[in-house]
Amino acid sequence: MTPQAKLIFTSSLILGTTITISSNHWITAWAGLEINTLAILPLIAKSHHPRAIEAATKYFLTQATASALLLFSAMMNAWYTGQWDITQLTHPTACLILTSALAMKLGLAPFHFWFPEVLQGSPLTTALLLSTLMKFPPMTLLFMTSPSLNPTLLTYMAILSTALGGWMGLNQTQIRKILAFSSISHLGWMAIIVSYHPKLTLLNFYLYSLITATVFLTLNTIKTSKLSTLMTTWTKTPALSTMLLLTLLSLAGLPPFTGFLPKWLIIQELTKQSMAPAATVISLLSLLSLFFYLRLAYCATITLPPHTTNHMKQWHASKPTPSAIAILTTTSTMLLPISPLILT
């Protein structure tokens, strides 16, 4: 792909995201989402591999369906209430359809099936965009419409997402699929709190994006996409592997890392809302995803490869770690002590 084409697609992504997050009218929000979808498709399919073409096709079909549902819910609300404003969504059927559309856009269970497949067929940099930037516009729509949505339905979908994200990631050997199921699990934490404390959902999303960006960029630097090649990285880049270990533990939500902050605040808020059983269930289900984070961390730092490996040997070239990864790793692991500052 030429640099000019990359520039056009990247600027279209930024444009689509900006249009959606700054719009008050349903039609402009929908237009921004469509620009986003069309801009990311060439980036998914740029390798021309059959798996990449399949991923791009699956992504296009799901996103087109979700956009159609979103437009349908907006039209239904306008038909009954005369309002095209995003915050004035009051018709119950329109709210239900919108919940389905946004769940499909985000990859929230039970509309999550496309996400691991699409991530597996994409390059690591595009997979990073799909996991973070592409989820920002639907997340802002969820934030703006949160007072109108059904909290019980969102709670059930959130618990299902956390359960499936943890359960289905246990048996995976492809790192992109593991990170896709990790994303589904994190979306459960965001969805369960959006009706009660929407700002916490955004905080969780920002910190999740920060930590996921660190993991993806580290994996892209060491050119690793499956567990068997991850086992050989310790001998080549021990410092980077150690940073990957800490970032994965932060993504799992273990104290004293940054990832613990949103989970702690969400559990606290759920308890305040007399939802202690839901908080207990979602906390226990996050232990499933903790297992595969520990598995990734174990493969990255503790295992040494046997002499008879099934993959190509890579040259040991000591390149300096990009400064972006160093900054991201620091923020991904050390923001917990300044949490009072973040909260104020």
Side-chain angles (χ1 to χ4, degrees):
M1 187 180 284
T2 60
Q4 291 86 349
K6 271 188 182 172
L7 179 66
I8 290 169
F9 296 136
T10 313
S11 51
S12 299
L13 276 177
I14 296 166
L15 175 71
T17 305
T18 311
I19 288 172
T20 304
I21 64 176
S22 59
S23 60
N24 289 318
H25 196 284
W26 276 115
I27 297 293
T28 47
W30 170 80
L33 289 170
E34 288 301 302
I35 292 169
N36 252 0
T37 303
L38 294 174
I40 196 79
L41 285 172
L43 296 175
I44 298 173
K46 69 179 177 184
S47 67
H48 302 296
H49 190 276
R51 192 182 280 273
I53 305 296
E54 181 193 339
T57 311
K58 282 178 179 173
Y59 185 77
F60 172 72
L61 291 173
T62 358
Q63 296 301 307
T65 310
S67 293
L69 280 173
L70 185 129
L71 200 56
F72 179 54
S73 76
M75 285 172 67
M76 180 181 281
N77 190 64
W79 178 268
Y80 282 103
T81 63
Q83 285 286 348
W84 280 99
D85 197 292
I86 291 177
T87 52
Q88 301 296 320
L89 191 78
T90 50
H91 193 263
T93 314
C95 293
L96 194 64
I97 295 170
L98 181 81
T99 308
S100 307
L102 291 179
M104 205 178 285
K105 280 270 177 202
L106 289 164
L108 189 69
F111 305 104
H112 65 285
F113 293 101
W114 62 274
F115 191 56
E117 299 298 325
V118 170
L119 231 65
Q120 181 56 33
S122 310
L124 279 167
T125 44
T126 312
L128 168 61
L129 287 175
L130 286 168
S131 300
T132 54
L133 184 70
M134 296 302 291
K135 294 197 175 182
F136 189 43
M139 193 57 76
T140 52
L141 290 177
L142 191 68
F143 176 80
M144 291 166 78
T145 55
S146 57
S148 314
L149 303 179
N150 185 347
T152 313
L153 176 66
L154 281 170
T155 304
Y156 280 121
M157 287 170 84
I159 289 172
L160 186 64
S161 284
T162 316
L164 286 174
W167 214 285
M168 293 170 79
L170 291 179
N171 208 21
Q172 301 296 331
T173 56
Q174 298 289 333
I175 296 175
R176 278 167 295 187
K177 275 198 175 176
I178 291 176
L179 289 170
F181 288 118
S182 146
S183 180
I184 293 165
S185 179
H186 274 85
L187 278 169
W189 283 87
M190 295 174 214
I192 200 168
I193 202 66
V194 74
S195 299
Y196 307 104
H197 200 315
K199 285 185 180 176
L200 262 186
T201 299
L202 281 189
L203 175 70
N204 195 345
F205 179 73
Y206 294 148
L207 292 178
Y208 161 75
S209 301
L210 178 79
I211 301 168
T212 306
T214 314
V215 174
F216 270 113
L217 290 173
T218 306
L219 292 171
N220 193 43
T221 306
I222 56 184
K223 300 285 180 285
T224 304
S225 61
K226 52 181 185 284
L227 287 180
S228 59
T229 46
L230 189 65
M231 289 179 188
T232 63
T233 54
W234 178 258
T235 49
K236 291 181 293 181
T237 51
L240 205 55
S241 298
T242 310
M243 291 297 104
L244 183 61
L245 161 74
L246 295 176
T247 313
L248 286 166
L249 293 179
S250 180
L251 194 57
L254 291 182
F257 300 112
T258 307
F260 176 62
L261 174 63
K263 291 192 175 178
W264 167 36
L265 294 172
I266 288 170
I267 290 169
Q268 190 179 350
E269 186 61 33
L270 286 174
T271 315
K272 280 183 194 169
Q273 299 288 343
S274 306
M275 289 181 66
T280 310
V281 169
I282 203 166
S283 306
L284 289 172
L285 288 171
S286 68
L287 292 175
L288 290 168
S289 41
L290 173 64
F291 174 80
F292 60 72
Y293 292 129
L294 287 175
R295 186 164 166 236
L296 271 174
Y298 177 79
C299 287
T301 53
I302 301 169
T303 51
L304 287 173
H307 293 296
T308 54
T309 45
N310 283 331
H311 55 81
M312 295 283 287
K313 288 282 184 192
Q314 293 171 329
W315 285 98
H316 186 136
S318 58
K319 289 183 287 187
T321 303
S323 53
I325 294 180
I327 296 164
L328 283 170
T329 306
T330 310
T331 48
S332 299
T333 51
M334 297 182 184
L335 283 187
L336 189 65
I338 60 162
S339 54
L341 189 66
I342 297 171
L343 298 175
T344 51

